[in-house]
Amino acid sequence: MSNSIEIPFSTTLMVRDTCLCLHVQRAARALARLFDDALRPAGLTNGQFSLMMSLNRPEPPPMGPVAALLAMDQTTLTAALKPLQRKGWVVVMANPRDRRGRLLSLTAEGKAALARALPIWENTHAVLDRTLPDGGAARLRQDLQALSGVTVETPKRSGSSRRPPRSGRTMGA
């Protein structure tokens, strides 16, 4: 005899139809494929484009702020930088003010690759913006930006270890 709890299939359908996380993940995967396909002729993926664009600054940024902007940890950022370094598009250098830190910079070749990719990104984005009527693209961006800073406190389970919530606004308890 099993003590397993059966969740009704109607609950499965309700979660499928209402789960923001599921819908954002599906949309993110679809957009990633769309931009990957579009940016392929420029030799970039959508993630590489975003990473390189985050480095397009007057001064080379430290790793921490770039990782935070891209919502990734520094280990993941380091791994994402490797192919761009091999192509000669990005340089990682010691921070002269703090030798333990690293600064990130686009090379001249990296800036040229980014310049080739930008019109592709702009055209692809224009098509997407037109598919969402009545200012929907701007509204969607605002909503996603609002969600990216939200954390939700969950009830603690007895005997389980839990990471502290990430910084940002907290919704409910």
Side-chain angles (χ1 to χ4, degrees), residues 35-92:
F35 278 96
D36 281 347
D37 290 345
L39 292 167
R40 190 169 290 117
L44 288 169
T45 66
N46 77 84
Q48 291 170 334
F49 176 83
S50 296
L51 172 51
M52 289 177 66
M53 192 56 74
S54 75
L55 303 181
N56 187 44
R57 304 178 187 200
E59 297 294 324
M63 287 187 74
V66 173
L69 174 69
L70 299 173
M72 61 176 59
D73 59 48
Q74 289 192 28
T75 302
T76 304
L77 175 58
T78 298
L81 288 165
K82 298 280 187 212
L84 299 173
Q85 288 176 279
R86 283 191 295 271
K87 288 182 177 184
W89 292 352
V90 171
V91 174
V92 179

Side-chain angles (χ1 to χ4, degrees), residues 10 13 45 53 67 101 120 140 170:
S10 60
L13 296 176
T45 66
M53 192 56 74
I120 297 168
L140 177 59
T170 301

Side-chain angles (χ1 to χ4, degrees), residues 129-140:
D129 282 357
R130 287 192 299 270
T131 64
L132 297 170
D134 302 324
R139 189 173 52 251
L140 177 59

